[in-house]
């Protein structure tokens, strides 16, 4: 097994063991791709959401927030295109009774061919050492060339079938390339069918008055349908944005990789309304602004990249993803889309209401264009966990697991630990806790040796441990231990708020964005 897969498994079990993420309904054997955030996880998640919310609504005078309902009028999903087109192509294996996304099966097959070529190169690199010229090898080695040809042919067929929405061709590719079910190992496939990802339920109490409603698959539509309300009541002038954080639901066929692809998840979306013709300028602005937001957390600049979309949705005129280097490769965490006037025009058409903006400067009315930034809270959470986790070898053969969380996001900022449970130390520790708890999330613990307590705090990413000892009672100083360096310094109790605030305050991260 690849080393990175091992690391990912460790992160998943660490998240459970240390109270970050639990499988939902675990005592009933869980519920596929649904997770609960535990006592530490909810704090980390709330801090991520606060970072996003404040970066949007405090730092931009022209962005306001809303919190719209999860249930919305079902026509909204007709207008947005979700009823007709929010589909994935699915296929079943008759032997294993497992359901797959046909596109994912083919993409996995493409990845396998690429893996073969990479292995060939790795072997040759070992054989030739410093003299190895990889570009030349890829252009001349017959086995690599053969696989490259196979990969390109498959990719071209796959891309065409997806673009043409040709389900029969997707099935034919699976047959032609002899793709087998990873579980049963057989090729006993059904036809490919479209599968709508929205969850449907009923609203209303009597049989006559019930209506089918959907759990929203994105929060964005709640913003579009409130465009006029917010613009008028907030006296907003274009350009302006509306931000929202909330749950979204998708009946994902293939739910993989822990909280990366869930059926119930949370989004942080912002729709920025601009003059028609100015959208590409604003698209660039938001592309850069969002990347800066990610990088300011200090998870490592090299872990981000843009993936510009070549194939655009019919209503979009530019789109890019911000991808993050997860242990299972670069993956989309956020999408930035230039959605033209599609959504507002569709809602005007389906609702029969005029959804326009009068631009006093231009003395004309128009349907605003929209730049959308859309990030998944859970994917952001996962990227923070993955880049913070370290299984550290210490001098002397000892080890520790430490989460180097960005300090501003850590669930607990400081643990207050009396060295022993006597001689007035617990009382003094509580006194310190009572001083700090109004400004910082604090944790008091007096069980076990102080070394064990330090390790437990390292494992949940607490930036500081404050230890109360005999000297504290004499001179009102404590030891302050840093999570990352494990260095301890003696500081006055009175200086603690300033030191912790300097290192852990969210404001310091927000200031980097200006
Ligand atoms: N309003 C645009 C929209 O929803 P999207 O690319 O479908 O665009 C935006 O989703 C973000 O939501 C993604 O970049 C991802 O972070 C998150 N997301 C989407 N589906 C998800 C899922 N099943 N589980 C977790 N996060 C998901």
């Amino acid at each position: 097994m690849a080393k990175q897969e091992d690391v990912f498994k460790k992160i998943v079990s660490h998240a459970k063991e240390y109270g970050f993420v639990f499988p939902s309904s675990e005592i009933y054997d869980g519920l596929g791709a649904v997770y609960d955030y535990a006592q530490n996880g909810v704090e980390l998640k709330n801090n991520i959401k606060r970072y996003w919310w404040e970066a949007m609504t405090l730092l931009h005078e022209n962005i306001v927030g809303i919190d719209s309902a999860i249930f919305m009028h079902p026509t909204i999903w007709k207008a947005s295109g979700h009823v007709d087109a929010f589909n994935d192509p699915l296929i079943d294996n008759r032997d294993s009774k497992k359901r797959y996304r046909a596109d994912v099966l083919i993409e996995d097959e493409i990845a396998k061919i690429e893996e073969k070529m990479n292995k060939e190169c790795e072997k040759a690199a070992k054989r030739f050492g410093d003299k190895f010229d990889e570009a030349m090898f890829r252009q001349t080695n017959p086995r690599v060339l053969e696989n490259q040809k196979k990969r390109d042919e498959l990719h071209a067929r796959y891309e065409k079938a997806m673009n043409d929405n040709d389900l029969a061709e997707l099935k034919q590719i699976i047959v032609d390339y002899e793709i087998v079910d990873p579980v049963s190992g057989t090729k006993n496939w059904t036809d490919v069918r479209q599968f709508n990802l929205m969850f449907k339920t009923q609203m209303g109490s009597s049989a006559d008055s019930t209506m089918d409603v959907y759990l929203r698959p994105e929060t964005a539509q709640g913003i579009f349908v409130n465009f006029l309300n917010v613009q008028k009541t907030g006296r907003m002038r274009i350009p302006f944005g509306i931000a929202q954080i909330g749950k979204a639901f998708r009946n994902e066929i293939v739910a993989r990789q822990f909280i990366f692809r869930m059926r119930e998840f949370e989004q942080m979306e912002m729709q920025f309304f601009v003059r028609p013709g100015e959208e590409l300028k604003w698209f660039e602005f938001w592309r850069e602004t969002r990347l800066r937001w990610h990088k300011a957390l200090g998870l490592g600049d090299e872990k981000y990249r843009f993936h510009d979309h070549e194939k655009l949705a019919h209503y979009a005129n530019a789109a890019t993803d911000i991808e993050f280097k997860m242990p299972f490769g670069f993956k989309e965490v956020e999408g930035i889309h230039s959605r033209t006037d599609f959504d507002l025009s569709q809602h005007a058409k389906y609702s029969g209401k005029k959804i326009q903006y009068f631009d006093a400067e231009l003395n004309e009315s128009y349907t605003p264009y929209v730049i959308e930034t859309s990030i998944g809270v859970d994917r952001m959470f996962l990227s923070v966990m993955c880049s913070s986790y370290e299984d550290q070898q210490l001098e002397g053969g000892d080890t520790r697991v430490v989460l180097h969380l960005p300090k501003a996001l850590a669930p607990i900022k400081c643990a207050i630990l009396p060295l022993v449970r006597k001689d007035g130390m617990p009382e003094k520790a509580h006194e310190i806790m009572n001083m700090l708890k109004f400004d910082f999330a604090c944790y008091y613990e007096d069980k076990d040796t102080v070394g064990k307590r330090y390790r437990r705090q390292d494992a949940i990413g607490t930036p500081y441990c404050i230890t109360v000892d005999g000297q504290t009672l004499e001179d009102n100083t404590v030891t302050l231990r840093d999570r990352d360096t494990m260095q301890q310094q003696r500081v006055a109790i009175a200086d603690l708020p300033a030191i912790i605030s300097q290192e852990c305050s969210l404001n310091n991260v927000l200031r980097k964005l200006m």
Side-chain angles (χ1 to χ4, degrees):
M1 189 189 295
K3 200 161 172 282
Q4 284 304 301
E5 275 176 47
D6 283 343
V7 172
F8 188 57
K9 277 194 171 168
K10 280 189 185 174
I11 293 168
V12 175
S13 58
H14 188 85
K16 181 171 172 220
E17 195 182 342
Y18 284 91
F20 284 89
V21 181
F22 300 146
S24 160
S25 326
E26 201 187 2
I27 58 169
Y28 291 96
D29 296 332
L31 184 66
V34 186
Y35 291 90
D36 297 336
Y37 284 84
Q39 66 278 15
N40 291 317
V42 71
E43 299 294 342
L44 172 56
K45 195 181 187 209
N46 284 343
N47 290 338
I48 291 172
K49 290 196 275 187
R50 194 154 73 88
Y51 176 41
W52 184 88
W53 189 259
E54 296 196 355
M56 284 295 174
T57 63
L58 294 189
L59 302 193
H60 299 276
E61 290 164 35
N62 56 353
I63 298 182
V64 292
I66 62 164
D67 182 14
S68 70
I70 287 172
F71 289 129
M72 292 194 269
H73 195 285
T75 310
I76 288 173
W77 305 111
K78 192 79 190 149
S80 67
H82 284 82
V83 170
D84 296 321
F86 195 51
N87 298 322
D88 276 342
L90 72 82
I91 189 165
D92 292 289
N93 183 275
R94 292 194 187 91
D95 299 322
S96 69
K97 310 271 182 270
K98 292 267 176 213
R99 179 161 284 183
Y100 298 92
R101 269 174 59 177
D103 55 334
V104 172
L105 283 178
I106 299 172
E107 278 173 15
D108 285 352
E109 184 66 19
I110 294 173
K112 265 192 220 156
I113 304 173
E114 287 169 348
E115 186 59 27
K116 272 190 199 159
M117 297 191 290
N118 292 342
K119 285 233 169 83
E120 208 67 63
C121 287
E122 276 167 30
K123 267 198 298 182
K126 271 197 199 135
R127 218 173 333 126
F128 294 113
D130 289 344
K131 284 183 278 169
F132 183 60
D133 178 344
E134 184 174 332
M136 177 66 84
F137 183 79
R138 283 185 183 269
Q139 281 163 23
T140 52
N141 180 274
R143 274 190 303 277
V144 173
L145 286 173
E146 192 189 319
N147 276 318
Q148 184 69 47
K149 186 161 168 270
K150 195 170 160 192
R151 182 237 170 251
D152 291 347
E153 278 169 6
L154 172 55
H155 189 263
R157 254 183 94 177
Y158 163 63
E159 208 169 45
K160 183 162 182 336
M162 289 297 282
N163 284 342
D164 298 349
N165 211 0
D166 186 344
L167 302 184
E169 172 65 355
L170 284 177
K171 164 85 188 274
Q172 199 52 50
I173 295 173
I174 289 171
V175 172
D176 292 350
Y177 282 81
E178 302 189 332
I179 295 175
V180 295
D181 176 356
V183 176
S184 67
T186 70
K187 292 177 254 173
N188 195 3
W189 296 111
T190 62
D191 285 341
V192 177
R193 298 189 303 284
Q194 286 294 20
F195 177 78
N196 193 286
L197 299 185
M198 283 196 294
F199 286 99
K200 205 190 247 182
T201 184
Q202 268 109 41
M203 183 177 268
S205 50
S206 73
D208 300 339
S209 63
T210 57
M211 91 175 149
D212 284 344
V213 290
Y214 301 97
L215 297 187
R216 66 181 176 198
E218 61 171 15
T219 61
Q221 298 304 323
I223 295 179
F224 289 124
V225 297
N226 277 300
F227 167 77
L228 284 180
N229 282 341
V230 174
Q231 191 270 316
K232 293 215 164 95
T233 58
R235 293 150 42 95
M236 308 301 290
R237 279 190 298 171
I238 272 178
F240 75 90
I242 305 178
Q244 160 151 251
I245 300 179
K247 288 269 174 129
F249 305 83
R250 297 183 187 177
N251 196 3
E252 301 281 0
I253 303 168
V254 184
R256 281 199 294 201
Q257 286 142 345
F258 189 39
I259 54 172
F260 183 79
R261 198 174 297 285
M262 302 157 89
R263 296 201 167 101
E264 173 180 340
F265 58 101
E266 208 162 359
Q267 289 184 315
M268 306 190 279
E269 298 200 294
M270 194 277 298
Q271 314 293 323
F272 198 71
F273 300 93
V274 303
R275 281 182 183 159
E278 294 192 353
E279 70 277 11
L280 292 181
K281 176 185 89 181
W282 285 110
F283 175 75
E284 278 311 314
F285 171 85
W286 281 108
R287 203 173 174 267
E288 295 310 319
T289 304
R290 292 304 304 145
L291 187 63
R292 222 156 3 104
W293 181 89
H294 284 275
K295 288 186 174 174
L297 279 178
L299 302 180
D301 288 3
E302 73 292 349
K303 293 190 178 129
Y304 299 92
R305 72 178 188 197
F306 283 121
H307 171 236
D308 295 328
H309 291 204
E310 282 159 33
K311 179 178 178 273
L312 295 169
H314 64 278
Y315 52 82
N317 62 6
T320 196
D321 295 334
I322 295 178
E323 295 186 336
F324 186 83
K325 194 168 186 220
M326 303 279 185
F328 43 91
F330 271 97
K331 296 287 166 191
E332 174 192 339
V333 171
E334 172 157 5
I336 298 142
H337 314 119
S338 173
R339 298 178 70 117
T340 66
D341 60 353
F342 173 78
D343 302 270
L344 292 183
S345 299
Q346 285 290 100
H347 289 306
K349 185 170 140 197
Y350 278 78
S351 66
K353 306 279 183 325
K354 188 173 168 217
I355 307 183
Q356 289 224 315
Y357 171 80
F358 177 72
D359 192 321
E361 264 177 54
L362 300 180
N363 196 28
E364 66 177 68
S365 291
Y366 53 77
T367 308
Y369 272 43
V370 173
I371 307 300
E372 162 181 82
T373 71
S374 175
I375 169 171
V377 180
D378 313 273
R379 289 197 189 171
M380 186 62 205
F381 184 103
L382 188 60
S383 60
V384 170
M385 285 295 275
C386 290
S387 53
S388 302
Y389 179 92
E390 190 188 7
D391 221 340
Q392 203 176 40
Q393 293 292 327
L394 302 173
E395 276 173 32
D398 205 0
T399 60
R400 69 165 181 163
V401 173
V402 54
L403 281 189
H404 301 283
L405 297 174
K407 291 178 180 171
L409 299 186
I412 295 168
K413 303 296 186 240
C414 50
I416 300 156
L417 317 170
L419 189 62
V420 289
R421 223 187 305 174
K422 56 181 184 182
D423 300 337
M425 289 181 210
E427 290 76 9
K428 191 72 187 171
H430 275 118
E431 209 180 282
I432 297 171
M433 173 117 173
N434 285 336
M435 173 182 87
L436 295 175
K437 72 181 177 193
F438 295 95
D439 296 310
F440 311 103
C442 302
Y443 182 80
Y444 172 90
E445 196 180 26
D446 59 15
K447 285 181 222 80
D448 292 330
T449 65
V450 77
K452 278 193 185 153
R453 285 180 267 163
Y454 285 156
R455 288 287 183 275
R456 279 202 289 270
Q457 295 305 317
D458 290 343
I460 60 169
T462 305
Y464 292 109
C465 287
I466 296 165
T467 307
V468 172
D469 54 20
Q471 195 180 327
T472 311
L473 306 172
E474 288 164 19
D475 65 3
N476 273 323
T477 63
V478 287
T479 61
L480 186 67
R481 174 184 178 273
D482 182 282
R483 172 196 71 194
D484 301 324
T485 62
M486 295 188 289
Q487 298 284 317
Q488 300 190 28
Q489 50 169 326
R490 192 113 213 141
V491 301
I493 293 171
D495 291 339
L496 286 171
I499 300 173
I500 300 167
S501 170
Q502 170 67 26
E503 294 297 320
C504 300
S505 119
L506 186 57
N507 285 358
N508 290 341
V509 188
L510 289 169
R511 273 177 214 287
K512 290 192 206 162
L513 304 177
M514 296 313 287

